[in-house]
Amino acid sequence: MMEISGLPEELWQLILSYLHLPDLGRCSLVCRAWYELILSLDKTRWRQLCLGCIEYRHPNWPNQPDVEPQSWRETFKQHYLASKTWTKNTQDLESSNCFYLFRRRKDRRLLCVGTGCEFDSLRAALATASPYDRIVLLPGVYEEYNEVVLKVPVEIVGQGKLGDVALLVSFDQHCPTTRLCNVVFMPARFTPVLYKTTSGYVQFDNCNFENGQLQIHAPGTCQVKFCTFSQSSIHFHSVALCILENCEFTGSENASVTVEGCPTSDWNWACKHLTRLAKSYSVSMQVSDPAFCSMTKQERWRNSPVGTVKAHEIVVEEERNNLLSASRAQAMFDSASKDAEFRENLRTAKEEEYPALDSNSSDSDLHSEDEESDQAVYKLSYQAHSLRHMLTNVMHSRLQSNRLHALQRDLKLKSLQQELQQDKEAQSLANSLQGCIIRQCLFRDGKGGIFIYSRGQAKLEGSIFRDLTYAVRCIQNSKVIMLKNDIHHCKASGIFLRLSAGGLIANNNIHSNCEAGVDIRKGANPLVLCNKIHSGLRSGIVVVGNGKGIIRSNQIYGNKEAGIYILYNGNPAVSGNYIFQGLAAGIAVNENGRGQITGNKGCGVWMMSSSLPHVTNNQISHNSIYGVAVFCHKDDASDYPANQGGNENFHEEREGASWENDLDSEDEYLASRHPISVALVELNSINHNGASGLYIKSSEALNIIANVIHANRNNGVAVLQSTQLTCIANNSISCNSLGGVLVEAECQVELRGNGIYDNSSHGIVSKGDGIIVENDIIGNHRCGLQLLQAADMKVTKNRIQSFRDYGIALFDQAKGLVQENLIFQGRSKKSILQPISNTEDCIVQNNILLTLKKRFDVECMLMNPPARPHIEGTAPGSSMATSSQKISKVTRVDRGCHNQGSIFCAIL
């Protein structure tokens, strides 16, 4: 044998480039050196062989025909093996295990059809064909005026380029397997059905289908590859497994692919081979890292309108007791008792976790120059303090401290791999191989992409849907698994699910659609994970009409209406999403919409209190207007900027089957998690928004519990209408550009156990009715508490301090009871201002006045009980209460008996 070293490698490559496929195979078996030499022809001879075969197209056609595969040789090998799947039918040998001893070689004949050939028609060739014969059609048009029945396995191949051979034939397959390649299918004059099979396997390679239909009925199945469907469609009936790969669908008048019926358990001989092919071609699950995900926290916030924040730091020590059962919380308290070491570790941790931001913005202007020297670190001992009459039915058994720490860990969006590791249901769906598998296809310029109904199942991977009316409709207990698809410029919604449909929608790029990116309604319950949903002309995701679902770890941005819109008894679980840069609310809940909304970042929330939503554990920041806006009815939102919720078209689309509308009267879906009796905003961080942190204009009851409301450009909380009780309890409300809390006339509020600190105007201004009890109202730039007009408030057991103005100021016809408050006077000696005549209607008694000589003495007034919920401060020049700030600094402590002590404390 000739040694390879005798010639330069380049010369060997030139010589070997003239070899045919069988010769290349023989050379690769000579030795290791020859094998590697054959492999080195990947970009030359193997590429030439792959592209020169009439049975195949470019491996990345039709979506990325300019992108070369990693290996042309491996691509050619996969194409070749796939093209032979139809010959692997061995059911005739399964009746006896000893038949293999007498197996005969299949002697395949080559039958030519065309002018001057043995056969002048396809029907004549089929009449004489034996099993597995190859029928070659010469260029021309072949028309049959009656249905052609395939009774024996054959291979039908067109000669020449694609388009040279056209079949005006309707096939009905009765044999176990067949293959058709390199032909154009057109409808016969008597039927639009181009091909149908009810039991066998059919394989189409490099074919065109024009103006007709393919019908595949179980237990029949198929593999369709490198085919074009022009104004044509394919209909699957209860198929166990079929594969569509690298196909193009254009100009459809209805759905291009219809999947009907539950996948049958009656697998034919081809299903095991298709399963192996599906696994070998599985699309990579790697998430495409957008620019945002690749940025560090420091880089992200460097571009945000946040400046340095000055505030106080409260370090809480704990007396030895059994207040916290959670070992993690106990360890945190114990470590706080080590003063010097704790402060040093805290300072180091903050420098690492909260990098300094640009100093030309937000909160630095909230403090006057004469306060710069008054910064202090308050070291407080923990002792129980009373917070009676809390809404125990809401607070008892709500969120434990481990959920707060979970939010702390989940500040970064999870990848799909992380989601699948933690969610076994999602993992099972992602790995499922049932029904119709559609991979790397292009659907464009038509009405519908894929329609799945009546318990059908489809898996879509790496495909593109563009310029359609809709991309995917999934209804009637069907399942769709969508991975790494691109869905854009649809005239209606991109993905539409209803009537108890489900599945997994993950790692897709859904954008620029005229209606919602994802529309979920009527009991549909999908998993929507790790998608990019953006640039829509309406909302990103709509959950309506008893729709459910889990919406998690998505990036939702740049939509013209609400990022997520929940209404008409929609009840999804929304968590861990990043919702930003929208032209309307991040999350809108109204018209009896429900939902559990937790752990989301960057989004404003617009909601109707009558819908009784629960909004918990979210980072709501840097919105152009309100952080959270609460209304009672849609008409009440007239002063809210247009399109915050959106005006989605929630009437039924007419493109579905006519019988669908008969099922519209299903029973209202009831929340399965916990009974919901009142709207709730709890454990959120609401900061750096362009208007009020919370804006309330509602006639329904509302609970605002344990939120951090910080550095907003208007009031922290603005209650403009509240005919039923609004409970504002255990919140930290600080450093807002106007006051801490504003209560307008005729509003009913309960303010209990809040820490209201360092706001640029009054701590609390009230013109309404209610109670203000056991709050810390400290360090605000004007009055601590101001009662105006016809306010009727019971003000008791608060600690109030203002260095420049009055602790409490009563004006106009204000009335009520002001007693047992601890009021700290500053240098001005101002404590209580009461220039009103109706002293009999406003009782002021038993208040304690203390004078502080300097700001540092505030340490004393927050000793017993300790400070009400307060976010930790930071050193000058560092960031506070940005999106990276952790809400878990307000931690719940369950003692079992709320009237014996506080259920909240501030910890580090």
Side-chain angles (χ1 to χ4, degrees):
M1 188 62 178
M2 185 181 296
E3 291 291 337
I4 291 181
S5 59
L7 291 175
E9 182 179 348
E10 292 79 3
L11 187 55
W12 276 118
Q13 290 177 346
L14 178 61
I15 295 171
L16 294 176
S17 67
Y18 290 95
L19 297 183
H20 296 291
L21 181 61
D23 297 325
L24 289 173
R26 295 185 187 102
C27 290
S28 66
L29 298 176
V30 173
C31 64
R32 180 74 179 179
W34 278 82
Y35 174 75
E36 293 179 353
L37 185 60
I38 296 301
L39 291 183
S40 70
L41 303 176
D42 190 79
K43 301 295 184 183
T44 54
R45 184 55 176 159
W46 288 112
R47 184 179 188 276
Q48 186 182 28
L49 286 172
C50 194
L51 296 179
C53 183
I54 63 171
E55 301 181 5
Y56 319 131
R57 302 192 193 188
H58 190 285
N60 289 321
W61 182 89
N63 294 333
Q64 295 178 307
D66 55 337
V67 177
E68 293 200 353
Q70 292 183 351
S71 170
W72 284 100
R73 176 184 172 277
E74 184 64 26
T75 298
F76 183 83
K77 174 185 174 182
Q78 295 296 336
H79 286 341
Y80 180 82
L81 293 177
S83 69
K84 303 303 179 185
T85 301
W86 79 282
T87 65
K88 296 179 180 179
N89 175 28
T90 58
Q91 63 183 13
D92 57 330
L93 303 176
E94 292 175 356
S95 58
S96 174
N97 290 332
C98 64
F99 270 16
Y100 76 95
L101 298 173
F102 309 100
R103 183 181 303 174
R104 293 179 55 194
R105 179 178 179 271
K106 295 187 178 78
D107 296 320
R108 299 183 59 193
R109 294 187 300 163
L110 181 65
L111 308 179
C112 291
V113 180
T115 304
C117 296
E118 181 181 0
F119 303 98
D120 59 357
S121 71
L122 176 61
R123 188 183 295 273
L126 290 171
T128 62
S130 298
Y132 303 98
D133 282 349
R134 181 181 177 95
I135 299 175
V136 177
L137 304 176
L138 271 61
V141 177
Y142 299 85
E143 183 175 8
E144 298 290 342
Y145 297 97
N146 295 296
E147 189 174 67
V148 174
V149 178
L150 300 178
K151 298 181 179 180
V152 295
V154 292
E155 182 179 30
I156 301 174
V157 180
Q159 190 179 73
K161 297 180 180 179
L162 179 61
D164 290 347
V165 177
L167 298 178
L168 279 69
V169 181
S170 178
F171 290 97
D172 186 1
Q173 178 182 339
H174 289 183
C175 57
T177 181
T178 192
R179 178 175 184 253
L180 298 100
C181 176
N182 200 45
V183 296
V184 176
F185 289 84
M186 295 181 178
R189 300 182 183 184
F190 55 90
T191 178
V193 178
L194 303 175
Y195 197 101
K196 69 178 179 181
T197 181
T198 56
S199 60
Y201 165 81
V202 60
Q203 184 169 330
F204 297 100
D205 290 315
N206 195 33
C207 295
N208 283 0
F209 300 90
E210 298 182 3
N211 303 296
Q213 303 172 8
L214 273 66
Q215 296 182 359
I216 312 297
H217 297 255
T221 185
C222 71
Q223 180 184 0
V224 185
K225 194 167 185 178
F226 296 115
C227 293
T228 297
F229 291 76
S230 178
Q231 296 183 330
S232 298
S233 61
I234 182 167
H235 198 132
F236 297 99
H237 299 262
S238 301
V239 293
L241 183 62
C242 62
I243 297 177
L244 274 68
E245 285 185 300
N246 299 93
C247 294
E248 181 179 25
F249 296 82
T250 62
S252 63
E253 295 182 356
N254 290 294
S256 297
V257 178
T258 300
V259 183
E260 173 192 3
C262 181
T264 181
S265 58
D266 183 13
W267 282 34
N268 70 11
W269 67 270
C271 288
K272 64 178 181 180
H273 302 289
L274 293 176
T275 300
R276 185 172 63 251
L277 285 172
K279 291 180 179 178
S280 66
Y281 279 109
S282 61
V283 173
S284 171
M285 300 294 290
Q286 293 295 327
V287 178
S288 55
D289 292 331
F292 171 81
C293 291
S294 63
M295 295 172 65
T296 64
K297 282 191 287 187
Q298 181 174 1
E299 290 171 334
R300 288 200 296 269
W301 289 108
R302 185 172 296 152
N303 298 322
S304 63
V306 187
T308 57
V309 180
K310 176 188 172 186
H312 298 293
E313 178 180 18
I314 298 182
V315 179
V316 181
E317 295 183 337
E318 180 202 9
E319 292 183 357
R320 297 288 179 179
N321 54 39
N322 59 353
L323 286 178
L324 284 178
S325 59
S327 60
R328 182 178 177 89
Q330 181 69 52
M332 293 176 70
F333 279 121
D334 292 340
S335 65
S337 63
K338 301 176 182 178
D339 296 339
E341 181 182 355
F342 175 75
R343 285 198 199 94
E344 182 62 28
N345 293 340
L346 174 66
R347 187 177 300 107
T348 303
K350 286 193 298 185
E351 289 173 355
E352 294 175 353
E353 188 163 6
Y354 302 113
L357 305 179
D358 296 335
S359 59
N360 57 353
S361 59
S362 131
D363 301 342
S364 56
D365 58 349
L366 299 181
H367 301 268
S368 62
E369 294 180 358
D370 62 340
E371 292 176 349
E372 290 295 330
S373 61
D374 291 331
Q375 292 188 51
V377 175
Y378 301 142
K379 175 186 164 191
L380 309 171
S381 63
Y382 181 88
Q383 293 183 9
H385 65 281
S386 175
L387 290 176
R388 299 179 179 88
H389 311 296
M390 290 298 298
L391 297 177
T392 56
N393 61 325
V394 176
M395 297 299 298
H396 192 70
S397 75
R398 279 297 300 166
L399 298 174
Q400 301 297 327
S401 61
N402 60 340
R403 289 184 58 189
L404 296 171
H405 294 302
L407 175 66
Q408 183 176 3
R409 293 191 302 267
D410 293 342
L411 290 176
K412 184 178 180 180
L413 284 178
K414 293 179 181 177
S415 67
L416 183 55
Q417 290 90 339
Q418 291 172 324
E419 287 286 358
L420 296 181
Q421 288 173 359
Q422 298 176 8
D423 192 325
K424 298 304 180 183
E425 179 187 359
Q427 187 179 98
S428 175
L429 287 169
N431 294 329
S432 66
L433 294 174
Q434 273 191 313
C436 182
I437 297 178
I438 301 173
R439 182 178 291 127
Q440 296 180 9
C441 293
L442 172 62
F443 298 80
R444 63 177 178 87
D445 302 311
K447 183 173 184 180
I450 299 172
F451 182 36
I452 311 160
Y453 71 100
S454 189
R455 301 178 65 198
Q457 185 164 330
K459 185 174 185 179
L460 321 178
E461 297 179 284
S463 296
I464 295 177
F465 301 80
R466 62 176 174 85
D467 299 301
L468 304 166
T469 299
Y470 66 87
V472 177
R473 283 175 58 89
C474 184
I475 66 173
Q476 292 184 324
N477 296 286
S478 299
K479 285 185 180 179
V480 61
I481 296 97
M482 301 187 65
L483 304 173
K484 211 171 184 180
N485 301 281
D486 200 340
I487 300 165
H488 59 94
H489 292 96
C490 293
K491 298 178 180 65
S493 296
I495 303 170
F496 188 88
L497 303 101
R498 69 170 180 174
L499 297 174
S500 301
L504 172 65
I505 301 170
N507 204 14
N508 302 282
N509 185 18
I510 305 169
H511 65 96
S512 307
N513 298 291
C514 293
E515 297 290 338
V518 181
D519 189 318
I520 303 168
R521 64 178 76 189
K522 292 186 178 178
N525 190 19
L527 288 167
V528 184
L529 308 178
C530 304
N531 301 281
K532 291 173 64 177
I533 304 173
H534 61 100
S535 308
L537 301 183
R538 305 296 290 271
S539 296
I541 299 176
V542 167
V543 186
V544 59
N546 299 319
K548 296 174 276 186
I550 295 173
I551 302 170
R552 195 167 65 223
S553 299
N554 301 280
Q555 291 187 62
I556 304 173
Y557 60 95
N559 299 288
K560 287 192 174 180
E561 295 182 1
I564 300 176
Y565 199 8
I566 306 170
L567 70 168
Y568 300 137
N569 296 311
N571 190 16
V574 182
S575 65
N577 303 283
Y578 185 41
I579 307 174
F580 61 102
Q581 291 181 353
L583 301 182
I587 300 174
V589 186
N590 68 8
E591 302 290 352
N592 295 316
R594 296 176 183 271
Q596 297 284 342
I597 303 171
T598 62
N600 302 284
K601 297 185 283 292
C603 63
V605 179
W606 182 94
M607 68 188 209
M608 299 295 182
S609 57
S610 56
S611 300
L612 306 181
H614 281 189
V615 181
T616 62
N617 280 30
N618 300 283
Q619 297 278 358
I620 302 172
S621 62
H622 299 94
N623 296 284
S624 59
I625 42 175
Y626 315 119
V628 178
V630 184
F631 301 100
C632 181
H633 300 292
K634 201 167 186 178
D635 295 339
D636 295 333
S638 58
D639 54 342
Y640 203 82
N643 294 328
Q644 290 304 300
N647 298 305
E648 299 281 358
N649 178 15
F650 296 111
H651 299 292
E652 299 298 332
E653 288 81 353
R654 302 302 178 189
E655 67 267 21
S658 59
W659 42 260
E660 292 181 45
N661 291 328
D662 296 335
L663 302 175
D664 289 354
S665 59
E666 65 181 69
D667 295 335
E668 176 179 348
Y669 172 74
L670 299 177
S672 61
R673 300 173 180 89
H674 299 287
I676 297 175
S677 59
V678 63
L680 176 65
V681 179
E682 182 181 32
L683 291 165
N684 302 282
S685 178
I686 305 170
N687 62 83
H688 296 94
N689 297 288
S692 297
L694 272 85
Y695 179 93
I696 301 164
K697 190 176 182 182
S698 170
S699 299
E700 305 288 339
L702 172 67
N703 289 344
I704 301 170
I705 309 293
N707 301 279
V708 174
I709 305 168
H710 172 81
N712 299 284
R713 283 293 181 182
N714 204 290
N715 295 292
V717 180
V719 184
L720 275 67
Q721 177 182 323
S722 177
T723 54
Q724 293 194 38
L725 182 65
T726 295
C727 176
I728 304 172
N730 299 290
N731 301 278
S732 174
I733 305 171
S734 64
C735 299
N736 297 286
S737 294
L738 290 182
V741 180
L742 170 65
V743 181
E744 287 290 352
E746 301 181 357
C747 293
Q748 298 185 38
V749 298
E750 176 182 349
L751 283 152
R752 185 185 297 272
N754 301 283
I756 304 173
Y757 303 91
D758 293 321
N759 297 284
S760 296
S761 184
H762 308 291
I764 300 174
V765 174
S766 177
K767 305 173 187 176
D769 305 334
I771 63 174
I772 302 174
V773 58
E774 295 177 333
N775 301 279
D776 287 341
I777 309 171
I778 305 294
N780 299 285
H781 291 197
R782 299 193 63 188
C783 294
L785 169 63
Q786 191 177 79
L787 304 182
L788 304 173
Q789 298 179 8
D792 187 356
M793 304 295 293
K794 180 181 179 182
V795 183
T796 62
K797 300 181 179 178
N798 301 281
R799 293 183 297 197
I800 303 173
Q801 174 268 336
S802 175
F803 272 88
R804 297 186 184 84
D805 214 326
Y806 289 94
I808 300 176
L810 309 173
F811 294 101
D812 307 323
Q813 303 301 312
K815 58 184 179 180
L817 174 65
V818 179
Q819 72 174 12
E820 299 181 23
N821 298 285
L822 183 60
I823 302 173
F824 299 90
Q825 302 176 104
R827 301 182 182 91
S828 61
K829 300 290 186 179
K830 296 179 179 179
S831 56
I832 299 177
L833 175 65
Q834 190 180 9
I836 54 177
S837 57
N838 58 332
T839 54
E840 66 279 0
D841 294 328
C842 186
I843 301 174
V844 180
Q845 63 184 18
N846 299 331
N847 296 285
I848 301 174
L849 307 181
L850 294 177
T851 301
L852 297 178
K853 297 293 181 76
K854 55 184 178 180
R855 179 89 183 244
F856 191 81
D857 288 342
V858 176
E859 168 186 347
C860 301
M861 62 180 166
L862 298 178
M863 289 289 290
N864 185 20
R868 269 80 181 195
H870 191 290
I871 51 179
E872 84 277 19
T874 55
S878 62
S879 169
M880 176 179 178
T882 64
S883 178
S884 60
Q885 177 195 349
K886 298 174 177 55
I887 184 71
S888 56
K889 298 306 181 288
V890 179
T891 302
R892 177 176 176 175
V893 182
D894 287 319
R895 296 193 61 187
C897 186
H898 292 165
N899 60 2
Q900 293 183 3
S902 172
I903 63 170
F904 277 86
C905 67
I907 67 172
L908 289 177

